[in-house]
Every structure is written in C-alpha cells, then in structure tokens.
Amino acid sequence: MRVLLTATAVLFAMITRGNCIICEQCSNINSCSGFFAPCPAEVTHCVKGLENSTVGSNVRLLAYKGCVDPSRQATCDKEVIFRSSRMSLYITRECCDSDSCNSKNTKQAALRIPKTPNGFKCPDCDTDRSTTGCAPVGELQCTGNENQCATFMGRASRPGDSVRGYTVYACATKDACEVGISSMEGTKVSQFDLKCSDPIKV
Ligand SMILES: *[C@@H]1O[C@H](CO)[C@@H](O)[C@H](O)[C@H]1NC(C)=O
C-alpha cells in the first residue's frame, strides 16, 4: 500500500509539474530571495534583475526574480537606461533557460551607469508635476550606450510612491527605446507617450 501511495505521489508530481521550467520568485527592496515554483507551461525562461529608479537623491532599488511571460521575451538581456540630470531609471534583466537558474542575486555593481561621455547630447529637463512638458534647463552629455534622446510624458508611480505626472527629456539606450517601458517590474506607467530620436552630436 505504501509503495503504491509513493508511486502515485511521484506520478502525480510528474503530471502536475510536466515539463515546466522552475524559477525562483520574489520581489523586494535591494535584493530578494523567495520560493521556487514551476512556471506556466508556455514559459521557457526565468528572469532576475534590478530596477534603480532615482529622483534627485531618492533612490528606489527593486530586485526581482520570476518567470518570463512569452509576450515579454524581448525584454530579456537588454540594457535599459533613461537618464536626465536629476532623474534616472536603470534596469538590468538577465534571462536563462534551466531550472532554478535565476537563483543567484544580481550584483548591484552591475548597476552603475557608465560615466564616460560618448559624444552625444540631449535636451535635459524633468518634472514630477506635469504630463505636458517642461522647459529644458540645458543639455545633457550622454554616456556609455546612451545613443538616443527620449521624451516621456505621462503618469507613473515609482515603487512605494503614489502616481504622479512626469515629463522627462533624457539620454537613453536604444534598448530602452525599444522595450524599456514594458520591462519594468517596479515602476508602473499609464497614459504615457514615449518618443525617441537621434541625439545631437557634441
Ligand atoms: C542608482 O542610481 C543612482 C543614480 O544614477 C546612483 O547614484 C546609485 O548609485 C544607483 N544605486 C545602485 C545601487 O546602483
């Protein structure tokens, strides 16, 4: 009887687990570790990442791990940076495709925005009081892979903050322009308009 029960339990585990990939699941300030669970059947990748949302000296750092919904596969392994002089959003997002492969924590050192100017510049302006524009305070030197100028106008809430209207003119990476807004786990945006354009050569 015991043998039969054990055999039934193993079979049941195999059926319910099927071929689903197992990923660690968590989300927390600074770093996170959580439970390991099978993803929905159509999922092929796990993700782990950090999202650094900074306004002035206020840094919100969110760590997250989980399953990658197939509709968001394009957000994997992208370097997402939007940066004006006072506000910035930097997201790292690493994906992998074997059981529990996202368990190691992402090093926070991976999240330093490169400081070396790259020969491009963009208008610089940001406000958390308007969705309809702001007056540039000058030009911003872009760094590293920031080879686009981005304009964001819309509503957003940073982790632990209420929804506000933002306008941000910033240097951005091409990855940020392509997938940035949909790769965010912490900051939520709504009713927004995001435009990117080629930067000005210094
Ligand atoms: C988050 O971003 C801000 C602004 O770029 C930076 O000063 C800070 O060091 C970053 N924090 C981490 C942990 O990367």
Side-chain angles (χ1 to χ4, degrees):
M1 185 63 182
R2 174 156 294 166
V3 174
L4 186 64
L5 274 181
T6 308
T8 311
V10 169
L11 190 65
F12 185 69
M14 281 168 70
I15 291 167
T16 49
R17 203 204 124 180
N19 288 323
C20 292
I21 187 169
I22 294 178
C23 300
E24 188 173 6
Q25 322 274 334
C26 61
S27 155
N28 208 342
I29 303 302
N30 295 323
S31 75
C32 79
S33 60
F35 57 91
F36 292 80
C39 300
E42 65 279 12
V43 170
T44 56
H45 286 71
C46 304
V47 63
K48 64 175 179 179
L50 290 170
E51 183 176 320
N52 178 340
S53 154
T54 296
V55 173
S57 58
N58 183 307
V59 179
R60 300 271 160 86
L61 192 66
L62 184 87
Y64 60 90
K65 295 176 183 173
C67 310
V68 182
D69 188 274
S71 68
R72 300 179 73 211
Q73 193 78 35
T75 66
C76 284
D77 303 305
K78 295 284 159 63
E79 183 187 30
V80 171
I81 302 176
F82 292 101
R83 185 179 60 83
S84 67
S85 55
R86 204 173 63 94
M87 293 187 189
S88 66
L89 183 68
Y90 191 169
I91 301 171
T92 64
R93 221 174 138 71
E94 293 173 77
C95 297
C96 55
D97 64 358
S98 60
D99 282 349
S100 310
C101 61
N102 65 339
S103 64
K104 262 199 173 169
N105 284 321
T106 306
K107 291 211 173 55
Q108 291 189 8
L111 207 63
R112 295 280 177 269
I113 294 183
K115 293 236 153 63
T116 326
N118 62 9
F120 294 125
K121 56 186 184 176
C122 294
D124 176 22
C125 118
D126 54 60
T127 173
D128 59 4
R129 280 151 215 266
S130 167
T131 58
T132 55
C134 53
V137 293
E139 283 171 335
L140 186 71
Q141 302 265 355
C142 301
T143 63
N145 293 329
E146 297 166 350
N147 57 8
Q148 292 282 288
C149 293
T151 305
F152 174 90
M153 294 187 199
R155 297 167 67 73
S157 64
R158 301 166 66 219
D161 206 351
S162 53
V163 178
R164 292 164 193 265
Y166 288 88
T167 299
V168 185
Y169 300 167
C171 290
T173 55
K174 204 162 209 123
D175 283 352
C177 290
E178 284 166 12
V179 304
I181 298 291
S182 69
S183 70
M184 297 191 297
E185 302 281 335
T187 302
K188 300 291 173 220
V189 291
S190 57
Q191 299 166 315
F192 68 90
D193 182 43
L194 175 69
K195 285 201 176 73
C196 289
S197 59
D198 286 333
I200 311 155
K201 287 224 170 67
V202 176

mmCIF file of all heavy atoms in Angstrom, residues 110-135:
data_model
loop_
_atom_site.group_PDB
_atom_site.id
_atom_site.type_symbol
_atom_site.label_atom_id
_atom_site.label_comp_id
_atom_site.label_asym_id
_atom_site.label_seq_id
_atom_site.Cartn_x
_atom_site.Cartn_y
_atom_site.Cartn_z
ATOM 1 N N ALA A 110 26.683 45.863 -10.961
ATOM 2 C CA ALA A 110 26.309 45.791 -12.371
ATOM 3 C C ALA A 110 25.437 46.974 -12.764
ATOM 4 O O ALA A 110 25.159 47.197 -13.931
ATOM 5 C CB ALA A 110 25.558 44.496 -12.641
ATOM 6 N N LEU A 111 25.015 47.730 -11.776
ATOM 7 C CA LEU A 111 24.008 48.749 -12.000
ATOM 8 C C LEU A 111 24.563 50.175 -11.983
ATOM 9 O O LEU A 111 23.832 51.122 -11.782
ATOM 10 C CB LEU A 111 22.929 48.602 -10.919
ATOM 11 C CG LEU A 111 21.532 49.058 -11.242
ATOM 12 C CD1 LEU A 111 20.959 48.238 -12.371
ATOM 13 C CD2 LEU A 111 20.649 48.939 -10.020
ATOM 14 N N ARG A 112 25.846 50.332 -12.186
ATOM 15 C CA ARG A 112 26.398 51.687 -12.235
ATOM 16 C C ARG A 112 26.263 52.232 -13.646
ATOM 17 O O ARG A 112 26.728 51.594 -14.590
ATOM 18 C CB ARG A 112 27.881 51.673 -11.848
ATOM 19 C CG ARG A 112 28.125 51.248 -10.413
ATOM 20 C CD ARG A 112 27.895 52.375 -9.425
ATOM 21 N NE ARG A 112 28.072 51.889 -8.069
ATOM 22 C CZ ARG A 112 27.088 51.390 -7.325
ATOM 23 N NH1 ARG A 112 25.868 51.317 -7.795
ATOM 24 N NH2 ARG A 112 27.330 50.962 -6.103
ATOM 25 N N ILE A 113 25.671 53.379 -13.788
ATOM 26 C CA ILE A 113 25.568 53.986 -15.109
ATOM 27 C C ILE A 113 26.957 54.474 -15.513
ATOM 28 O O ILE A 113 27.609 55.172 -14.740
ATOM 29 C CB ILE A 113 24.545 55.149 -15.094
ATOM 30 C CG1 ILE A 113 23.142 54.584 -14.824
ATOM 31 C CG2 ILE A 113 24.588 55.925 -16.405
ATOM 32 C CD1 ILE A 113 22.026 55.600 -14.843
ATOM 33 N N PRO A 114 27.450 54.075 -16.717
ATOM 34 C CA PRO A 114 28.787 54.494 -17.133
ATOM 35 C C PRO A 114 28.905 56.020 -17.130
ATOM 36 O O PRO A 114 27.942 56.711 -17.456
ATOM 37 C CB PRO A 114 28.899 53.948 -18.562
ATOM 38 C CG PRO A 114 27.867 52.897 -18.669
ATOM 39 C CD PRO A 114 26.770 53.277 -17.732
ATOM 40 N N LYS A 115 30.066 56.540 -16.741
ATOM 41 C CA LYS A 115 30.211 57.996 -16.608
ATOM 42 C C LYS A 115 30.928 58.641 -17.800
ATOM 43 O O LYS A 115 30.938 59.855 -17.919
ATOM 44 C CB LYS A 115 31.009 58.300 -15.318
ATOM 45 C CG LYS A 115 30.230 57.925 -14.055
ATOM 46 C CD LYS A 115 30.082 59.115 -13.118
ATOM 47 C CE LYS A 115 28.854 59.027 -12.236
ATOM 48 N NZ LYS A 115 28.854 57.883 -11.321
ATOM 49 N N THR A 116 31.537 57.824 -18.666
ATOM 50 C CA THR A 116 32.321 58.396 -19.766
ATOM 51 C C THR A 116 31.413 58.948 -20.861
ATOM 52 O O THR A 116 30.609 58.209 -21.429
ATOM 53 C CB THR A 116 33.207 57.300 -20.410
ATOM 54 O OG1 THR A 116 33.604 56.394 -19.389
ATOM 55 C CG2 THR A 116 34.401 57.903 -21.112
ATOM 56 N N PRO A 117 31.535 60.262 -21.191
ATOM 57 C CA PRO A 117 30.726 60.833 -22.266
ATOM 58 C C PRO A 117 31.003 60.126 -23.588
ATOM 59 O O PRO A 117 32.128 59.728 -23.846
ATOM 60 C CB PRO A 117 31.198 62.285 -22.326
ATOM 61 C CG PRO A 117 31.796 62.558 -20.996
ATOM 62 C CD PRO A 117 32.381 61.261 -20.534
ATOM 63 N N ASN A 118 29.971 59.951 -24.415
ATOM 64 C CA ASN A 118 30.140 59.207 -25.661
ATOM 65 C C ASN A 118 30.022 60.081 -26.908
ATOM 66 O O ASN A 118 29.923 59.572 -28.016
ATOM 67 C CB ASN A 118 29.129 58.046 -25.729
ATOM 68 C CG ASN A 118 27.694 58.553 -25.730
ATOM 69 O OD1 ASN A 118 27.438 59.754 -25.842
ATOM 70 N ND2 ASN A 118 26.748 57.643 -25.603
ATOM 71 N N GLY A 119 30.013 61.411 -26.707
ATOM 72 C CA GLY A 119 29.977 62.297 -27.876
ATOM 73 C C GLY A 119 28.582 62.700 -28.318
ATOM 74 O O GLY A 119 28.421 63.373 -29.322
ATOM 75 N N PHE A 120 27.552 62.297 -27.557
ATOM 76 C CA PHE A 120 26.187 62.706 -27.877
ATOM 77 C C PHE A 120 25.636 63.571 -26.750
ATOM 78 O O PHE A 120 26.076 63.475 -25.604
ATOM 79 C CB PHE A 120 25.270 61.483 -28.032
ATOM 80 C CG PHE A 120 25.590 60.610 -29.198
ATOM 81 C CD1 PHE A 120 25.825 59.255 -29.020
ATOM 82 C CD2 PHE A 120 25.661 61.134 -30.487
ATOM 83 C CE1 PHE A 120 26.118 58.433 -30.096
ATOM 84 C CE2 PHE A 120 25.958 60.320 -31.574
ATOM 85 C CZ PHE A 120 26.186 58.966 -31.380
ATOM 86 N N LYS A 121 24.662 64.395 -27.078
ATOM 87 C CA LYS A 121 23.963 65.133 -26.023
ATOM 88 C C LYS A 121 22.482 65.248 -26.335
ATOM 89 O O LYS A 121 22.068 65.089 -27.487
ATOM 90 C CB LYS A 121 24.595 66.513 -25.806
ATOM 91 C CG LYS A 121 24.655 67.364 -27.032
ATOM 92 C CD LYS A 121 25.415 68.662 -26.775
ATOM 93 C CE LYS A 121 25.349 69.523 -28.031
ATOM 94 N NZ LYS A 121 25.956 70.823 -27.879
ATOM 95 N N CYS A 122 21.687 65.507 -25.298
ATOM 96 C CA CYS A 122 20.225 65.595 -25.421
ATOM 97 C C CYS A 122 19.731 66.763 -24.573
ATOM 98 O O CYS A 122 20.381 67.145 -23.601
ATOM 99 C CB CYS A 122 19.555 64.326 -24.890
ATOM 100 S SG CYS A 122 19.889 62.835 -25.839
ATOM 101 N N PRO A 123 18.544 67.301 -24.920
ATOM 102 C CA PRO A 123 17.939 68.305 -24.040
ATOM 103 C C PRO A 123 17.705 67.677 -22.665
ATOM 104 O O PRO A 123 17.411 66.486 -22.578
ATOM 105 C CB PRO A 123 16.595 68.622 -24.702
ATOM 106 C CG PRO A 123 16.727 68.145 -26.104
ATOM 107 C CD PRO A 123 17.709 67.009 -26.084
ATOM 108 N N ASP A 124 17.859 68.489 -21.616
ATOM 109 C CA ASP A 124 17.773 67.976 -20.252
ATOM 110 C C ASP A 124 16.640 68.665 -19.521
ATOM 111 O O ASP A 124 16.668 69.886 -19.352
ATOM 112 C CB ASP A 124 19.119 68.251 -19.559
ATOM 113 C CG ASP A 124 19.130 67.842 -18.094
ATOM 114 O OD1 ASP A 124 18.300 66.996 -17.704
ATOM 115 O OD2 ASP A 124 19.982 68.370 -17.354
ATOM 116 N N CYS A 125 15.644 67.906 -19.117
ATOM 117 C CA CYS A 125 14.594 68.503 -18.285
ATOM 118 C C CYS A 125 13.731 67.426 -17.667
ATOM 119 O O CYS A 125 13.577 66.343 -18.224
ATOM 120 C CB CYS A 125 13.814 69.519 -19.110
ATOM 121 S SG CYS A 125 12.110 69.265 -19.381
ATOM 122 N N ASP A 126 13.260 67.668 -16.468
ATOM 123 C CA ASP A 126 12.373 66.698 -15.825
ATOM 124 C C ASP A 126 11.505 67.384 -14.790
ATOM 125 O O ASP A 126 11.888 68.383 -14.191
ATOM 126 C CB ASP A 126 13.168 65.567 -15.171
ATOM 127 C CG ASP A 126 14.228 66.066 -14.204
ATOM 128 O OD1 ASP A 126 13.870 66.752 -13.224
ATOM 129 O OD2 ASP A 126 15.411 65.783 -14.436
ATOM 130 N N THR A 127 10.304 66.869 -14.629
ATOM 131 C CA THR A 127 9.414 67.365 -13.585
ATOM 132 C C THR A 127 8.479 66.230 -13.171
ATOM 133 O O THR A 127 8.142 65.375 -13.998
ATOM 134 C CB THR A 127 8.576 68.577 -14.060
ATOM 135 O OG1 THR A 127 7.619 68.891 -13.041
ATOM 136 C CG2 THR A 127 7.808 68.267 -15.339
ATOM 137 N N ASP A 128 8.099 66.205 -11.903
ATOM 138 C CA ASP A 128 7.088 65.226 -11.489
ATOM 139 C C ASP A 128 5.767 65.938 -11.204
ATOM 140 O O ASP A 128 4.954 65.490 -10.428
ATOM 141 C CB ASP A 128 7.567 64.409 -10.285
ATOM 142 C CG ASP A 128 7.879 65.275 -9.082
ATOM 143 O OD1 ASP A 128 7.658 66.505 -9.144
ATOM 144 O OD2 ASP A 128 8.343 64.719 -8.071
ATOM 145 N N ARG A 129 5.572 67.074 -11.878
ATOM 146 C CA ARG A 129 4.339 67.849 -11.700
ATOM 147 C C ARG A 129 3.592 68.112 -12.981
ATOM 148 O O ARG A 129 2.627 68.871 -12.994
ATOM 149 C CB ARG A 129 4.674 69.212 -11.072
ATOM 150 C CG ARG A 129 4.884 69.122 -9.597
ATOM 151 C CD ARG A 129 5.844 70.182 -9.136
ATOM 152 N NE ARG A 129 6.662 69.661 -8.055
ATOM 153 C CZ ARG A 129 6.369 69.812 -6.779
ATOM 154 N NH1 ARG A 129 5.319 70.477 -6.423
ATOM 155 N NH2 ARG A 129 7.146 69.288 -5.867
ATOM 156 N N SER A 130 4.046 67.531 -14.090
ATOM 157 C CA SER A 130 3.364 67.832 -15.352
ATOM 158 C C SER A 130 3.495 66.693 -16.348
ATOM 159 O O SER A 130 4.542 66.055 -16.440
ATOM 160 C CB SER A 130 3.969 69.104 -15.960
ATOM 161 O OG SER A 130 3.547 69.234 -17.305
ATOM 162 N N THR A 131 2.421 66.441 -17.072
ATOM 163 C CA THR A 131 2.472 65.451 -18.144
ATOM 164 C C THR A 131 2.526 66.141 -19.500
ATOM 165 O O THR A 131 2.437 65.493 -20.532
ATOM 166 C CB THR A 131 1.220 64.553 -18.140
ATOM 167 O OG1 THR A 131 0.077 65.392 -18.282
ATOM 168 C CG2 THR A 131 1.110 63.748 -16.866
ATOM 169 N N THR A 132 2.638 67.462 -19.502
ATOM 170 C CA THR A 132 2.513 68.179 -20.770
ATOM 171 C C THR A 132 3.778 68.930 -21.166
ATOM 172 O O THR A 132 3.735 69.785 -22.045
ATOM 173 C CB THR A 132 1.336 69.182 -20.711
ATOM 174 O OG1 THR A 132 1.535 70.036 -19.581
ATOM 175 C CG2 THR A 132 0.013 68.462 -20.585
ATOM 176 N N GLY A 133 4.888 68.628 -20.530
ATOM 177 C CA GLY A 133 6.139 69.226 -20.985
ATOM 178 C C GLY A 133 6.886 69.930 -19.879
ATOM 179 O O GLY A 133 6.384 70.101 -18.763
ATOM 180 N N CYS A 134 8.126 70.284 -20.169
ATOM 181 C CA CYS A 134 8.921 71.092 -19.260
ATOM 182 C C CYS A 134 9.931 71.864 -20.093
ATOM 183 O O CYS A 134 10.167 71.537 -21.248
ATOM 184 C CB CYS A 134 9.599 70.248 -18.182
ATOM 185 S SG CYS A 134 10.573 68.852 -18.747
ATOM 186 N N ALA A 135 10.492 72.901 -19.501
ATOM 187 C CA ALA A 135 11.435 73.746 -20.233
ATOM 188 C C ALA A 135 12.841 73.237 -19.986
ATOM 189 O O ALA A 135 13.289 73.204 -18.840
ATOM 190 C CB ALA A 135 11.299 75.186 -19.767
#
